[in-house]
Amino acid sequence: MAIEDYQIDLGEEKTYTIFAFTENKVGLLNRITIVFTRRHINIESITVSESEVKNVYRYTIIIKTTYAQVEKLVKQIAKQVDVLRASFYPEEETIFQEIAMYKIPMSSMINGSQVEGIVRDSNARILTVDPHYIIIEKTGHSEETRALFEKLAPFGILQFTRSGRIAITKHMKDLSTYLREQEEAYL
């Protein structure tokens, strides 16, 4: 299902994923975030990584706003010199995950089978076992990582961190095809 297939309510606030494919240039992150600051839109999550195309980087930006606002934002991002492509999708048009890590004291393992049961039932895994602590990893949606946090809280959480969202679109057109089409259009 393409974004065009959705009933669009221009005034309804929803979660959108913005993808910007860029060259790796100093200062670009700052220029992109200024676009959001000027419009007083909070970035819920931002991650930057290499993409499937060599020397092209993927910004994954999560915001809650209206369709009209996200459309304007993406147009402004696309105008940045080092941005090769910018697009946006409603949450239901992406497949996404986050990763969370929890550090709990080894003393909580006195009830080891209880902690192990929580880890197993949450589809998490133990990454590190140290004489003083254990580190647990959970991949999933923010609701799932938050739920595991609540279950582990009684055992004492020493540290907790959660990554920004990473996402992939459900549609099939890939970046290399888009770039090739753009290159052919300029020839």
Side-chain angles (χ1 to χ4, degrees), residues 38-105:
R38 285 186 185 142
R39 294 187 180 274
H40 303 283
I41 294 177
N42 186 46
I43 296 173
E44 301 287 325
S45 167
I46 184 167
T47 57
V48 183
S49 67
E50 292 182 75
S51 74
E52 63 276 17
V53 176
K54 187 177 179 166
N55 297 323
V56 175
Y57 292 78
R58 173 193 302 260
Y59 285 66
T60 304
I61 305 166
I62 310 304
I63 60 170
K64 288 182 182 167
T65 191
T66 63
Y67 182 89
Q69 278 284 72
V70 74
E71 190 173 43
K72 289 176 189 172
L73 282 165
V74 168
K75 286 178 183 176
Q76 282 205 300
I77 291 168
K79 288 179 185 178
Q80 297 293 320
V81 173
D82 300 315
V83 173
L84 305 172
R85 178 180 181 205
S87 56
F88 68 96
Y89 298 87
E91 194 168 51
E92 56 272 8
E93 273 299 300
T94 62
I95 298 168
F96 58 91
Q97 294 285 295
E98 295 178 0
I99 186 169
M101 293 173 62
Y102 314 78
K103 183 178 185 180
I104 63 174

Side-chain angles (χ1 to χ4, degrees), residues 150-166:
E150 298 301 328
K151 290 176 186 174
L152 292 173
F155 301 98
I157 296 177
L158 301 173
Q159 291 183 37
F160 169 75
T161 187
R162 187 173 69 219
S163 71
R165 182 183 289 185
I166 57 170

Side-chain angles (χ1 to χ4, degrees), residues 22-35 38 46 48 59 77 80-83:
T22 72
E23 297 176 21
N24 191 18
K25 300 289 183 175
V26 173
L28 184 57
L29 176 61
N30 183 50
R31 292 197 326 260
I32 287 175
T33 56
I34 285 172
V35 172
R38 285 186 185 142
I46 184 167
V48 183
Y59 285 66
I77 291 168
Q80 297 293 320
V81 173
D82 300 315
V83 173

